[in-house]
Amino acid sequence: MGNGLWAALLLLLLLVAPVVAADLGGTDADYTHLRQRLVARFDGERPRLWAEQVPGVKTRIAANEPVIALTLDACGSPTGMGADTELIAFLERQRVPATLFINARWIEPNRALFERLAANPLFEIANHGLAHKPASVSGRSIYGLAGTANVAELVDEIELAARRLHQLTGRRPAFYRSGTAYYDEVAVQLAQALGQQVAGFSILGDRGATYSSAQVRDALLASQAGDIIIAHMNHPEAGTGQGIMAAVPLLRQRGLRFVRLSDYPLQ
């Protein structure tokens, strides 16, 4: 990577959060070498698929037990920097484990809450990208959001966010979910090469925080053993929180137990 391009990348990072390259888990040379190696490996690949579920995306828990996983995204878009503190307090009070997919842009406006969540063993922090972009190696778009333009930008989207989370929590995230949860199959292979399991879902909990509370409750009540639920924790104005809070006791009455993604293998 040339000096000018590296400087531009650092400027982008400083806009996202007040960190420098050393804070992201290595020297400039370390990251440059990793990025160049992955570009060389994947740049010639031409994806054929573009969807939420492509080969390599994990959508269910592989367990013969009555377990389900609640996953909550914090997307960090200009209109999505909020935090549903009522929902979070409910999960803490009711001892409901969850996997929290955090976008790098969401951290600083919610720094105290982020640190509290990261310190709570009920929750695990997962990677929701640097700039909440769909995971593409060719610039594909979905829902009006441009995906990462190429392999190099996708490496930045995944790895720099992972290093930021590692720097803040002391733990490298094990799971990655792209902005919009859309991927091409090459992007999934690249994420795996970075040591990230790509976590999809089998239950659409709130359709991007647009469902009413009743719709969220009904969506969650369709859950069966092994399901992974996707919903959002960054829109307190939405029906997500009330819907989840209504569904959790009913799901528990059916004998279903909430777990984190890392508690069981995924398939």
Side-chain angles (χ1 to χ4, degrees):
M1 187 188 303
N3 290 337
L5 184 56
W6 182 251
L9 178 59
L10 284 180
L11 178 59
L12 171 63
L13 289 172
L14 288 170
L15 291 173
V16 172
V19 297
V20 295
D23 293 325
L24 292 170
T27 66
D28 294 8
D30 290 335
Y31 185 72
T32 299
H33 176 72
L34 172 66
R35 196 175 192 252
Q36 290 175 340
R37 179 165 55 83
L38 290 171
V39 168
R41 176 177 171 184
F42 289 104
D43 206 30
E45 300 290 334
R46 295 293 175 260
R48 297 177 296 104
L49 305 174
W50 181 239
E52 292 169 328
Q53 296 186 18
V54 300
V57 176
K58 310 294 187 180
T59 60
R60 295 187 59 79
I61 303 167
N64 294 318
E65 298 180 40
V67 294
I68 58 176
L70 176 63
T71 71
L72 298 173
D73 292 359
C75 302
S77 66
T79 58
M81 288 291 187
D84 194 335
T85 55
E86 185 179 0
L87 171 59
I88 292 166
F90 170 84
L91 298 178
E92 291 173 325
R93 188 168 60 251
Q94 296 297 319
R95 306 295 298 169
V96 179
T99 300
L100 311 179
F101 284 85
I102 307 296
N103 181 260
R105 301 175 303 180
W106 186 86
I107 296 172
E108 290 308 317
N110 301 280
R111 184 64 178 270
L113 176 59
F114 172 82
E115 291 178 354
R116 185 180 109 203
L117 294 171
N120 189 334
L122 265 182
F123 307 124
E124 63 184 346
I125 304 299
N127 182 355
H128 201 30
L130 187 69
H132 195 255
K133 293 189 176 186
S136 168
V137 297
S138 59
R140 294 287 296 270
S141 299
I142 188 70
Y143 306 132
L145 293 177
T148 44
N150 49 45
V151 171
E153 188 174 345
L154 181 58
V155 174
D156 294 342
E157 176 72 10
I158 299 173
E159 180 64 14
L160 292 179
R163 293 185 181 207
R164 178 62 171 151
L165 293 172
H166 188 187
Q167 181 263 331
L168 290 173
T169 68
R171 297 180 296 277
R172 182 173 172 85
F175 303 98
Y176 165 69
R177 176 180 289 153
S178 72
T180 75
Y182 256 72
Y183 312 87
D184 63 48
E185 73 274 23
V186 179
V188 173
Q189 294 168 23
L190 189 150
Q192 292 170 338
L194 288 167
Q196 304 278 277
Q197 290 192 66
V198 179
F201 58 92
S202 54
I203 296 292
L204 183 61
D206 65 356
R207 194 176 288 278
T210 64
Y211 277 173
S212 69
S213 58
Q215 288 174 312
V216 173
R217 179 200 62 213
D218 292 346
L220 267 63
L221 291 180
S223 298
Q224 302 292 328
D227 275 324
I228 297 173
I229 300 163
I230 184 176
H232 290 76
M233 56 177 277
N234 63 315
H235 285 282
E237 77 285 357
T240 301
Q242 292 298 320
I244 291 174
M245 288 186 278
V248 163
L250 299 176
L251 290 167
R252 282 178 158 172
Q253 286 174 18
R254 285 167 40 190
L256 292 171
R257 179 165 54 89
F258 287 91
V259 298
R260 305 172 307 167
L261 292 182
S262 63
D263 292 331
Y264 290 87
L266 304 183
Q267 60 187 16

